[in-house]
Amino acid sequence: MMVKTRFAPSPTGFLHIGGARTALYSWLHAKNKGGEFILRIEDTDVERSTQVAVNAILEGMTWLGLIWDEGPYYQTKRFDRYKELVTQLLTESKAYKCYCTKARVNDLRAAQEAAGEAPRYDGKCRTLVSDKVNKPHVVRFKNPYEGVVKFKDHVRGDIEFSNAQLDDLIIQRSDGTPTYNFCVVVDDWDMKVTDVIRGEDHINNTPRQINIYHALGATVPSFAHCAMILGDDLAKLSKRHGAISVMQFRDEGYLPDALKNYIVRLGWSHGDQEIFSEQEMIDLFSLDDINKAPSAFNTEKLLWLNQHYIKTLDPDYVAEHLMWHMKTQKIDMSLGPQLSEVVCALSERAKTLVDLAASSRYFFEEYKEFDPVAAKKHLRPVAKSNLALVQQKLSAVTHWTDNVLQQVIKDTADELNVGMGKIGMPLRVAITGAAQSPSLEITLRLIGKERSIKRISRALEFITARVTAQ
Ligand code: GLU
């Protein structure tokens, strides 16, 4: 039988790290088995679901490259199907209409809590024979009173719940809309899902859902419930820990490849291996290697992975992602080199694409002013003649290539009988405005002849003004 997995988010917020991990594991499991991955939007809670959240989820999934083979399905478009099955269960006496008022149910809960009992519906309407036509009601599932529900969880092993712990849950609200625990079963059955992978917060729902599968005569899928993700401080991961929406990681300059690699290791391992290409993840992923223990978020490690991918991925690909940040930082790219060349030049130093974009600005735009510390140190009167000579030699260059440029700098130093630093540092500050840049010949090459010469003139003027001011 073909493996089918699904990611079934409720669109009540953004795609966060926990959701992204569930999606990634489901996607990987399907790919590993040559199966299919479904995206299903669980929007039955009409009041809390929003189109903004749906879009954010689709955007996050797409950005991470978790492309679904089927869907997105929307539960709100399947109401007829749920109704049909609620009716079937009612007809078969596997569900019943419950006319208890909210007030009664609330009083019941309060009394049970006061008595130290777990709140559960007492089954008052379970045996009603008369149908109070047109009276407001919900529909409850007749959960068995006796026996146990057992299942084997891929992560947590054998799990058993006693039916006495469960109550008759509502499968259709008084406004006629179906509830999560019912829809999820109908959908997973109709969509032929074989493996349900989700967060362990759903573990208590699983026995209820299994009972519904049985009542419908449906095949029960296998389950894998993943442990929680904790923050750096070992508290449950929350907004307090900063970036938790997947798209916020994009905004902060992470590559999707780094985040995906990071997320896969949050609760799954393959020996000590830390870096996985997408194909390796697919080939090596196994539900059996998901950890039982919660995993803790570690920003340092994510940064380390990001740096690794910025350095090692195809510069054209990195440039595509960098482009978003160039626009966000409003860097005018109408003049300047190919962005992928800038990636090659700067990737050794950048931890994030935000840094990379910020430090690439001088390749495209004129710097606003010299970095004061660098200018004070390197644009001194003694540097003037050195700079003037290197400018003169650069003006004569016809083949503006790394080798030629490197030679020009060396020749200037030789001619003046000074160390390379005496030429290099003033030149660097002149052409970039600051004291850090990739090697000079690369920097010069990317900035181009005309702009480099102009910028040296600007530095010479700066020195002149400085002398005059003294
Ligand atoms: N819609 C549920 C949620 O967002 C997930 C349901 C499931 O995976 O079974 O928590």
Side-chain angles (χ1 to χ4, degrees):
M1 189 169 45
M2 182 172 68
V3 164
K4 262 190 159 185
T5 62
R6 70 349 181 240
F7 177 50
S10 306
T12 53
F14 301 111
L15 179 64
H16 52 78
I17 288 296
R21 185 185 63 171
T22 303
L24 176 61
Y25 286 5
S26 304
W27 183 82
L28 286 173
H29 183 59
K31 299 286 143 192
N32 176 273
K33 302 283 180 205
E36 278 179 7
F37 170 66
I38 298 174
L39 177 61
R40 182 173 74 227
I41 305 294
E42 303 211 320
D43 53 354
T44 53
D45 186 346
V46 195
E47 260 163 36
R48 294 181 60 227
S49 302
T50 66
Q51 188 58 43
V52 174
V54 171
N55 295 344
I57 290 166
L58 300 182
E59 187 186 23
M61 298 277 291
T62 310
W63 183 72
L64 276 174
L66 301 179
I67 306 306
W68 46 96
D69 302 298
E70 256 184 52
Y73 293 111
Y74 292 85
Q75 290 188 323
T76 42
K77 295 200 178 138
R78 292 176 41 80
F79 276 7
D80 288 349
R81 173 66 175 150
Y82 308 131
K83 263 236 146 67
E84 177 191 335
L85 289 173
V86 167
T87 310
Q88 180 187 314
L89 291 183
L90 281 170
T91 315
E92 295 171 354
S93 279
K94 293 176 178 168
Y96 60 93
K97 292 179 183 171
C98 170
Y99 301 91
C100 291
T101 59
K102 268 211 171 88
R104 179 178 185 272
V105 175
N106 287 344
D107 289 350
L108 183 65
R109 178 179 309 129
Q112 287 166 332
E113 278 171 358
E117 294 166 18
R120 58 202 299 273
Y121 179 66
D122 61 357
K124 181 168 185 278
C125 296
R126 186 166 162 132
T127 47
L128 272 188
V129 261
S130 62
D131 194 353
K132 302 184 189 176
V133 187
N134 294 335
K135 277 269 169 66
H137 64 270
V138 298
V139 176
R140 289 185 184 271
F141 174 66
K142 246 188 216 173
N143 198 78
Y145 277 156
E146 312 278 312
V148 292
V149 183
K150 284 188 195 170
F151 63 98
K152 193 173 177 61
D153 189 275
H154 265 293
V155 180
R156 303 169 54 120
D158 290 323
I159 298 186
E160 188 175 313
F161 282 85
S162 150
N163 274 322
Q165 289 171 264
L166 312 173
D167 66 354
D168 291 349
L169 66 100
I170 297 175
I171 57 175
Q172 185 176 288
R173 302 183 188 92
S174 55
D175 64 2
T177 58
T179 59
Y180 158 68
N181 274 303
F182 185 68
C183 300
V184 81
V185 170
V186 173
D187 288 351
D188 284 338
W189 177 36
D190 281 352
M191 295 169 194
K192 302 191 168 46
V193 169
T194 56
D195 297 81
V196 170
I197 301 163
R198 59 189 174 191
E200 70 176 8
D201 47 330
H202 283 291
I203 215 151
N204 290 333
N205 287 324
T206 308
R208 303 169 194 280
Q209 293 172 9
I210 290 177
N211 283 335
I212 299 177
Y213 278 103
H214 290 320
L216 290 172
T219 321
V220 182
S222 86
F223 294 96
H225 288 93
C226 305
M228 271 187 311
I229 303 175
L230 308 175
D232 297 74
D233 56 1
L234 301 186
K236 186 167 188 277
L237 193 66
S238 71
K239 288 209 178 71
R240 213 157 39 77
H241 297 99
I244 57 157
S245 134
V246 161
M247 295 319 285
Q248 213 169 318
F249 287 95
R250 188 253 337 244
D251 299 353
E252 292 184 4
Y254 293 95
L255 281 167
D257 312 73
L259 191 61
K260 209 150 74 175
N261 191 150
Y262 180 70
I263 292 175
V264 80
R265 287 283 292 104
L266 270 180
W268 173 84
S269 53
H270 180 76
D272 294 336
Q273 190 169 338
E274 290 291 357
I275 293 172
F276 296 87
S277 69
E278 187 174 286
Q279 195 55 49
E280 274 179 307
M281 281 185 212
I282 292 173
D283 293 342
L284 298 171
F285 188 78
S286 158
L287 293 178
D288 296 330
D289 295 328
I290 295 180
N291 306 336
K292 279 196 189 59
S295 35
F297 200 87
N298 177 341
T299 312
E300 280 305 309
K301 195 160 138 193
L302 174 57
L303 269 176
W304 173 76
L305 280 169
N306 202 43
Q307 196 165 18
H308 165 81
Y309 282 106
I310 290 176
K311 266 197 300 209
T312 55
L313 286 175
D314 178 1
D316 283 326
Y317 171 83
V318 176
E320 275 171 38
H321 287 277
L322 181 61
M323 191 55 102
W324 188 86
H325 295 276
M326 300 300 281
K327 287 189 185 135
T328 307
Q329 293 187 24
K330 298 197 168 50
I331 297 176
D332 177 1
M333 295 175 61
S334 40
L335 288 176
Q338 288 282 328
L339 193 53
S340 56
E341 296 209 71
V342 174
V343 170
C344 289
L346 293 174
S347 61
E348 277 299 321
R349 292 154 196 263
K351 282 194 172 169
T352 69
L353 297 179
V354 171
D355 296 348
L356 190 50
S359 57
S360 77
R361 191 180 282 273
Y362 62 77
F363 286 108
F364 301 95
E365 295 176 356
E366 296 311 309
Y367 48 82
K368 297 251 175 333
E369 55 189 22
F370 293 103
D371 170 69
V373 179
K376 186 158 183 246
K377 190 160 172 210
H378 302 292
L379 298 184
R380 288 188 300 167
V382 289
K384 198 173 171 185
S385 54
N386 301 359
L387 260 184
L389 182 63
V390 82
Q391 185 186 41
Q392 191 191 332
K393 287 187 182 293
L394 288 170
S395 305
V397 169
T398 46
H399 294 293
W400 197 256
T401 62
D402 289 0
N403 285 346
V404 174
L405 294 168
Q406 198 175 24
Q407 195 58 46
V408 166
I409 297 165
K410 191 173 174 300
D411 290 348
T412 314
D414 289 350
E415 191 174 324
L416 292 167
N417 204 14
V418 295
M420 290 282 268
K422 289 264 185 311
I423 308 294
M425 284 316 292
L427 180 57
R428 173 167 282 125
V429 179
I431 60 172
T432 69
Q436 277 107 36
S437 80
S439 72
L440 274 172
E441 64 277 10
I442 294 179
T443 311
L444 282 165
R445 170 169 55 80
L446 294 179
I447 291 172
K449 181 171 173 181
E450 198 186 317
R451 292 176 125 189
S452 298
I453 302 290
K454 266 200 198 140
R455 288 183 189 183
I456 298 171
S457 295
R458 190 175 159 186
L460 288 169
E461 280 159 28
F462 177 90
I463 298 175
T464 309
R466 190 171 169 179
V467 173
T468 322
Q470 269 171 359

